[in-house]
């Protein structure tokens, strides 16, 4: 029987094998189209150029849409922190503890909703519609925040905005993992996450303009205009999202049949298995698999501890205000640290993809945040504190790769990966909920207690990340030493699917599967 190498050297034989296998594939992968006039895209001569065109098409359509949504996601979520500087607390009669509860309560719905949401997104046929509807719903809820007149009203809005927002970040990371290989995922995910970092910069600039120039317009307070305008923009983008986002590789409407098949082949080659669930692998089966994997609970606690250490994000305008400037200048000064963080995040993720390394690309930035906190503990000078704010924001370059690491460490089956991402990010955001009570106004303007708690959180997260790294190194060594493994029926089916997609034998696909390595 011809080896894989002989197929590479004989493109006609490889193309014939691909055509012969496509009908068998259709039974396993519903939605896989018949080979069409563009089947030459899978030939060795055309493959590199075709793959580059596919990635370029995705990068030009998927990535800008994701980044735009993420910018609006955090602008809507954190608008309450900017509104605080222009009378929200006094107009609604909020006490300090009530304001902290308003910030925290979003996570009470946001965290648990992520797990069922990712179970759903793995099973729906049109994730573009699902995510688009969720964007519209949180934009509507954000706009309604502007009509509240008491603590109960704004509390209800914050609870309900957390539900549709829960679908976006973990769902988007999962969607990216259905299109990009593990060596491409870090950079794209970080570019996507740059949307969050830039939202903190743009959000501050937009808030400065609205809060500084619209107070009293039509008899409406400026902080209410902030919610009305930002919510309306989000609703419009939600409708655009339904058209712009892709669905899954087998059913995206704006790709040709050959491009859809190429997208499936790429993912199969990346892991040695078809990126598909077996027929019996339900969403609840994925939940069971994820809970049994010891890496998942460790990464859940790691992310929770990390986000506790980074929870300053919900109070960033307040921390910037400790520098002693007026509201407009404070909001303008809050932007540069996040622009710096966006640049750091992009460079860090690019290097992580090139090297395949994860631990130091994540943890190194947490250690820099700790340095920023130490500066904050040591001085109240404007220069020292402002430098500390820059170092603190850089920590999100590490968080941007956290769910990418989850996707790399728990790649198959997709149902398990989707639930693992939801579990880690959902439980992890409890750290933000706890952090809402860590940055107490009574501890300001120094916030020494808050910084000490945050340092402890990041140190513990780093320890847990080291444990995960050791587990992945151990798993890689075990896989390298193993001979042909006893395989479950579901695993065998996925390897068979990968073999048919690639036009190679089962043994060749199994050899590639053995070559798979976890990234640590």
């Amino acid at each position: 029987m011809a080896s894989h190498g002989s197929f590479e050297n004989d493109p006609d034989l490889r193309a014939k094998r691909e055509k012969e296998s496509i009908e068998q594939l259709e039974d396993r992968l519903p939605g896989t189209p018949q080979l069409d006039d563009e089947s030459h895209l899978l030939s060795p001569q055309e493959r590199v150029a075709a793959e580059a065109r596919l990635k370029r098409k995705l990068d030009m359509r998927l990535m800008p849409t994701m980044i735009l949504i993420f910018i609006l996601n955090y602008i809507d979520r954190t608008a309450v922190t900017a509104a605080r500087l222009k009378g929200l607390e006094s107009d609604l009669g909020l006490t300090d503890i009530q304001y902290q509860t308003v910030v925290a309560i979003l996570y009470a719905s946001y965290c648990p909703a992520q797990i069922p949401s990712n179970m759903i997104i793995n099973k729906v046929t049109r994730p573009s519609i699902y995510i688009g509807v969720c964007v519209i719903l949180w934009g509507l809820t954000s706009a309604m925040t502007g009509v509240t007149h008491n603590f109960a009203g704004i509390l209800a809005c914050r609870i309900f905005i957390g539900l549709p927002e829960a679908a976006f970040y973990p769902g988007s990371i999962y969607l990216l993992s259905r299109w990009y290989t593990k060596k491409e995922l870090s950079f794209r995910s970080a570019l996507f996450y740059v949307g969050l970092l830039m939202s903190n910069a743009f959000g501050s600039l937009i808030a400065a303009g609205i809060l500084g120039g619209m107070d009293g317009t039509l008899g409406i307070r400026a902080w209410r205009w902030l919610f009305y305008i930002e919510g309306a923009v989000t609703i419009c983008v939600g409708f655009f999202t339904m058209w712009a986002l892709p669905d899954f590789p087998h059913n995206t409407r704006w790709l040709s049949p050959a491009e859809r098949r190429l997208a499936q082949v790429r993912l199969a080659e990346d892991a040695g298995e078809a990126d598909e669930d077996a027929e019996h692998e339900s969403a609840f089966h994925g939940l069971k698999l994820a809970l049994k994997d010891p890496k998942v609970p460790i990464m859940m606690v790691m992310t929770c501890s990390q986000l506790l250490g980074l929870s300053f994000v919900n109070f960033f305008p307040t921390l910037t205000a400790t520098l002693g400037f007026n509201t407009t200048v404070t909001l303008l000064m809050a932007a540069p640290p996040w622009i710096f963080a966006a640049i750091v995040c992009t460079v860090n993720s690019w290097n992580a993809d090139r090297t395949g390394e994860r631990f130091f690309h994540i943890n190194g930035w947490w250690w820099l945040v700790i340095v920023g906190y130490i500066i904050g503990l040591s001085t109240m000078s404007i220069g020292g504190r402002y430098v500390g704010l820059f170092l603190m924001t850089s920590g999100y370059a590490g968080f941007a790769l956290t769910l990418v690491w989850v996707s790399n460490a728990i790649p198959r089956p997709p149902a398990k990966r989707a639930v693992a991402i939801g579990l880690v990010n959902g439980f992890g955001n409890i750290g933000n909920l706890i952090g809402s009570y860590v940055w107490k106004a009574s501890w300001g303007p120094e916030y020494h207690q808050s910084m000490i708690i945050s340092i402890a959180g990041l140190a513990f997260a780093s320890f847990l990340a080291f444990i995960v790294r050791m587990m992945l190194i151990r798993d890689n060594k075990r896989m390298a030493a193993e001979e042909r493994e006893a395989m479950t029926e579901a695993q065998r089916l996925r390897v068979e699917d990968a073999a048919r997609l690639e036009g190679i034998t089962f043994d060749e696909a199994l050899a590639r599967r053995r070559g798979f390595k976890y990234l640590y």
Side-chain angles (χ1 to χ4, degrees), residues 179-487:
W179 286 99
Y180 294 105
T181 67
K182 61 179 179 289
K183 284 297 186 71
E184 299 165 352
L185 189 58
S186 294
F187 184 62
R188 269 77 177 188
S189 297
L191 283 179
F192 162 53
Y193 199 78
V194 163
L196 178 149
L197 303 176
M198 295 306 293
S199 74
N200 288 286
F202 291 142
S204 296
L205 297 175
I206 293 169
I210 295 173
L211 296 178
M214 295 194 67
D215 199 21
T217 301
L218 300 179
I220 298 172
R221 291 280 281 159
W223 68 264
R224 295 186 187 275
W225 279 116
L226 183 66
F227 289 107
Y228 295 154
I229 294 171
E230 292 178 354
V233 172
T234 300
I235 292 171
C236 294
V237 171
F239 285 105
F240 169 75
T241 296
M242 297 180 188
W243 170 82
L245 284 185
D247 293 307
F248 293 122
H250 72 273
N251 69 341
T252 292
R253 291 160 290 187
W254 41 265
L255 293 178
S256 70
E259 287 173 326
R260 292 198 292 267
R261 186 163 181 263
L262 176 59
Q264 295 176 79
V265 170
R266 281 169 21 88
L267 271 294
E269 290 176 346
D270 187 49
E273 296 182 0
D275 194 33
E276 300 286 338
D277 294 317
E279 291 183 5
H280 71 278
E281 290 179 334
S282 66
F284 287 99
H285 179 68
L287 176 62
K288 183 178 178 181
L289 291 176
L291 292 174
K292 284 184 175 181
D293 191 324
K295 295 189 294 292
V296 173
I298 294 175
M299 297 182 98
M300 288 167 62
V301 178
M302 177 195 80
T303 305
C304 178
S305 188
Q306 170 192 188
L307 286 178
L308 172 60
L310 299 176
S311 60
F312 65 85
V313 65
N314 290 319
F315 298 87
F316 201 76
T318 301
L319 293 175
T320 310
T322 64
L323 300 178
F325 299 96
N326 63 38
T327 299
T328 300
V329 174
T330 292
L331 290 170
L332 293 175
M333 291 185 69
W338 293 110
I339 295 173
F340 169 74
I343 296 170
V344 167
C345 183
T346 304
V347 174
N348 182 59
S349 61
W350 173 79
N351 189 257
D353 269 347
R354 284 179 61 87
T355 62
E357 200 281 329
R358 292 292 182 262
F359 175 80
F360 291 105
H361 284 83
I362 294 173
N363 282 258
W365 301 104
W366 299 349
W367 302 335
L368 203 61
V369 176
I370 292 175
V371 173
Y373 283 138
I374 292 173
I375 293 174
L377 290 169
S378 305
T379 181
M380 280 298 294
S381 69
I382 293 176
R385 279 246 161 170
Y386 199 45
V387 169
L389 292 178
F390 275 83
L391 297 180
M392 288 159 61
T393 60
S394 69
Y396 277 90
F399 178 69
L401 297 182
T402 299
L403 291 192
V404 175
W405 201 20
V406 175
S407 180
N408 295 156
I410 307 159
R412 300 291 184 272
K416 177 184 178 183
R417 181 172 79 241
V419 174
I421 290 171
L423 283 168
V424 171
N425 201 60
F427 186 86
N429 271 278
I430 294 175
N432 272 323
L433 190 155
I434 299 169
S436 300
Y437 295 94
V438 166
W439 298 87
K440 299 169 62 174
S442 59
W443 289 350
E446 296 85 1
Y447 292 103
H448 286 173
Q449 299 95 321
S450 309
M451 293 181 181
I452 291 171
I453 293 171
S454 298
I455 289 173
L458 291 173
F460 185 56
S462 191
F463 169 71
L464 294 177
F466 180 75
I467 292 177
V468 173
R469 184 176 190 267
M470 292 298 101
M471 293 173 70
L472 294 175
I473 291 174
R474 179 203 62 192
D475 290 345
N476 281 344
K477 289 180 178 178
R478 185 180 67 243
M479 286 191 298
E482 288 175 350
E483 296 295 331
R484 181 173 182 139
E485 302 176 0
M487 301 178 67

Side-chain angles (χ1 to χ4, degrees), residues 152-166:
I154 194 171
L155 199 66
C157 286
R158 294 288 290 179
I159 291 172
F160 284 105
I161 201 174
L163 293 174
E165 281 198 2

